[in-house]
Amino acid sequence: MTTTAAAPEPEAPADAADDRGLLARIPFHALLLGAWPALVLWSSNASEVRPAEAWPFVWIPAVVTLVATIALTLVLRRDPRRAALVVSVLAVGTLMGGRVVGVPGRVQVVVAVTVAGAGLLVLARRIAPTTVAAATRIVNVMAFVLVLLTLPAIVPSLSGEGAGAAEVLAADGGSRADIWYLIPDRYPRADTLDDVFDFDNTPFLDGLEARGFDIGTEALANYPKTAHSLASTWNLDYLDDLIDLDAEAAADGSDWGALYALLRDHTLGRTLQAAGYQYTHMGTWWSPTAQSASADRNLRLDARSEFEGVFVTATVWSSFIDVDTTPGATTAEIREGWSDLSFAYTNYQLDTLDDLATQSPSRPRFILAHITQPHEPYVFDRDGSRVTREEAADRTREDNLVRQVENLNRRMTALVDTILANDPDAVIVIQSDEGPHPEARSGPSYDWVEGSDAALREKLQIISAIRLPGGPDLPDDRTSVNTWRWVLNTTIGTDLEILPDRIEVFPGEDSLYTLVDVTARLR
């Protein structure tokens, strides 16, 4: 009797057990990790970043990683899991590598990426299927968790932008002249320029006075930082009346969100719109004032946003970008190309304002321009020519700032003359948000409450020149919270109370809403 041996059972694939479950079979991590670097940056700056600025840097890298995974699948045994592992490592490395290596040379970047890519391809072809399945599961979970951790900060920023929540003040008639609001960032008061910078600004101020301006010789900002100062000025009130300081939004002393919301949609813009003015907003490259939800028109240089600048230069591809890396550049300036951007943006702003001044619109205009000068970096000479970093480094802080002030004085005088030639009744407000940072200040942790009286004066003494035909005589010791109460009362017939002057500072940027009254120290 012949015994027939039983046929052996087919051998199960070695990785069958490991292939069970979506986490081991579908490598969605490449898509998530392509989006993750932008999500990390967005979540770290959620209160400053508009979704429209961040979205392209979330979805474009994600799509690129997906396409790269499909393409590599054809090379790596038609196994998308192997391809995705390679793509994920390269995506994270290239998109965040600049944070580690700084701004490397092009050759180093090309060599590093080429070697890493070749090594990963060889490794991916050789590793066992069970290892591929296990690695896919682990990286999927890791990518999901990393993306999930960014969402609590981002999701709240997706709603409420441009909601039109700003108060609109009642008005009764008013003039039809254009209203110009020029905000030269960190422009000092005349006595600060004289005492600290050894510069006599009298000729410029006398020229403004001859053109009908009222000069606030003792004018003060109500707060020592742009966000605080402009949030108060643009909403015509003190911050404790604008923000519930006990609310969750302000409970985190380092969260700028409550202040930035007051910049993006504000009472001043909404009120003048309701009175029939066309609101044209020209902010800086700085995201919180870059655009306004209150405005009819937002004008800005077609340059990369602050978010784009930081994101792109944090990648290893930043070596292919023209970034300022000359000696003496700070980390922030290298990352953002701050010097070049400031020079280009200020010229764009002033040139555009010149053009607007020659136009004859069919309806009255409110034009707000937050000008990026004489705020550092020091990029302008007194004649408007470009100052190199080497030239600025050879000069003192005082010399550099004075040169920028002289250039801005020249440009603003010409602008005022053009405005008045076309509209003799124009209302013009030239008022800075803050003064220069005192040399004593050392970073965000600087305690303004404990700062010296001299440091507070330098920071809070601002230029305030207001041309208000037919308006009241304004006090020399005005503060910016009342500026637009006077202007709106005169121009559109509001009946706003003039508030008692109060100057407040905070201990540091981890206590933004701990406001301390220092009025007595400055009067």
Side-chain angles (χ1 to χ4, degrees):
M1 179 173 171
T2 307
T3 303
T4 305
E9 302 229 352
E11 185 177 341
D15 59 340
D18 295 287
D19 271 346
R20 284 197 298 267
L22 292 177
L23 289 177
R25 290 188 290 111
I26 301 178
F28 56 80
H29 58 80
L31 193 70
L32 295 178
L33 291 176
W36 178 63
L39 291 173
V40 170
L41 182 61
W42 187 358
S43 66
S44 300
N45 302 275
S47 61
E48 298 184 44
V49 177
R50 294 179 301 110
E53 293 176 333
W55 272 124
F57 303 97
V58 175
W59 70 263
I60 291 175
V63 170
V64 169
T65 58
L66 179 62
V67 171
T69 299
I70 294 170
L72 270 182
T73 297
L74 302 176
V75 177
L76 294 172
R77 303 166 129 187
R78 298 189 178 276
D79 185 348
R81 296 175 305 175
R82 297 173 187 270
L85 290 171
V86 175
V87 169
S88 285
V89 173
L90 288 178
V92 173
T94 55
L95 293 175
M96 302 189 79
R99 296 170 185 253
V100 178
V101 298
V103 185
R106 297 182 182 185
V107 174
Q108 293 94 314
V109 171
V110 172
V111 170
V113 171
T114 302
V115 170
L120 287 169
L121 282 171
V122 171
L123 181 63
R125 289 180 63 86
R126 293 177 176 270
I127 56 178
T130 52
T131 305
V132 172
T136 299
R137 182 184 297 109
I138 292 170
V139 182
N140 272 340
V141 171
M142 179 186 70
F144 179 78
V145 170
L146 289 174
V147 168
L148 191 65
L149 290 174
T150 67
L151 299 183
I154 292 173
V155 170
S157 71
L158 299 178
S159 62
E161 187 172 74
E167 180 184 6
V168 177
L169 305 174
D172 180 19
S175 69
R176 298 292 89 188
D178 284 350
I179 299 175
W180 294 73
Y181 180 19
L182 309 177
I183 309 165
D185 204 302
R186 294 190 185 172
Y187 193 116
R189 205 169 75 185
D191 48 350
T192 300
L193 282 170
D194 191 11
D195 297 340
V196 179
F197 296 91
D198 194 25
F199 176 70
D200 181 9
N201 207 28
T202 302
F204 173 63
L205 298 178
D206 286 349
L208 291 180
E209 200 164 18
R211 292 165 173 81
F213 284 80
D214 186 295
I215 309 299
T217 55
E218 299 177 37
L220 292 166
N222 298 96
Y223 300 93
K225 292 290 287 182
T226 295
H228 293 74
S229 178
L230 293 185
S232 171
T233 305
W234 294 1
N235 291 280
L236 291 76
D237 215 334
Y238 290 103
L239 295 179
D240 52 357
D241 289 326
L242 294 167
I243 301 173
D244 181 357
L245 301 185
D246 295 324
E248 185 177 349
D252 178 0
S254 62
D255 181 5
W256 294 86
L259 293 166
Y260 293 159
L262 293 170
L263 298 178
R264 292 194 176 111
D265 191 11
H266 50 84
T267 299
L268 176 59
R270 294 290 183 190
T271 298
L272 286 169
Q273 279 182 318
Y277 283 80
Q278 180 193 62
Y279 172 16
T280 297
H281 181 93
M282 185 186 299
T284 66
W285 47 264
W286 182 54
S287 295
T289 66
Q291 299 191 72
S292 173
S294 312
D296 296 294
R297 293 197 302 167
N298 282 283
L299 302 180
R300 59 179 301 179
L301 177 67
D302 186 19
R304 66 177 183 237
S305 67
E306 186 179 9
F307 183 89
E308 180 183 351
V310 175
F311 176 80
V312 171
T313 53
T315 72
V316 295
W317 308 118
S318 59
S319 59
F320 293 95
I321 300 169
D322 185 16
V323 190
D324 190 347
T325 58
T326 51
T330 66
T331 301
E333 287 166 344
I334 292 173
R335 288 171 59 211
E336 299 174 28
W338 194 15
S339 295
D340 291 337
L341 182 58
S342 181
F343 185 77
Y345 217 110
T346 302
N347 280 323
Y348 162 77
Q349 290 178 310
L350 295 172
D351 291 344
T352 303
L353 288 170
D354 288 340
D355 290 340
L356 290 173
T358 63
Q359 298 172 8
S360 299
S362 58
R363 56 187 287 206
R365 299 176 297 176
F366 168 53
I367 298 170
L368 183 158
H370 181 195
I371 301 170
T372 54
Q373 286 287 296
H375 193 301
E376 61 269 30
Y378 302 119
V379 292
F380 283 96
D381 215 327
R382 54 176 56 93
D383 62 356
S385 59
R386 179 73 156 89
V387 170
T388 67
R389 185 168 299 281
E390 292 87 351
E391 290 171 333
D394 287 339
R395 297 169 180 162
T396 63
R397 176 185 78 119
E398 291 75 16
D399 187 19
N400 279 316
L401 184 132
V402 164
R403 289 170 185 267
Q404 301 211 134
V405 165
E406 289 183 279
N407 174 60
L408 192 57
N409 287 354
R410 179 179 58 84
R411 293 296 303 265
M412 285 200 296
T413 299
L415 173 60
V416 167
D417 285 342
T418 305
I419 293 171
L420 297 181
N422 287 276
D423 184 5
D425 295 324
V427 172
I428 308 174
V429 175
I430 300 174
Q431 182 173 275
S432 50
D433 52 341
E434 55 178 334
H437 275 329
E439 285 192 300
R441 179 186 179 272
S442 56
S445 62
Y446 183 76
D447 188 338
W448 292 105
V449 178
E450 296 297 326
S452 68
D453 289 354
L456 290 181
R457 284 195 296 271
E458 183 173 346
K459 189 62 184 165
L460 290 158
Q461 294 179 167
I462 58 171
I463 185 173
S464 178
I466 301 175
R467 187 179 192 274
L468 191 56
D473 291 331
L474 304 179
D476 287 338
D477 61 350
R478 68 193 68 157
T479 66
S480 49
V481 72
N482 281 314
T483 294
W484 289 99
R485 290 174 174 262
W486 284 305
V487 174
L488 295 183
N489 285 349
T490 301
T491 57
I492 64 171
T494 54
D495 186 21
L496 301 173
E497 176 189 359
I498 301 305
L499 302 176
D501 291 319
R502 192 168 80 228
I503 296 91
E504 298 178 323
V505 298
F506 50 92
E509 293 187 17
D510 57 351
S511 304
L512 298 171
Y513 305 98
T514 304
L515 302 175
V516 177
D517 192 325
V518 294
T519 311
R521 296 174 58 186
L522 293 158
R523 289 301 192 196

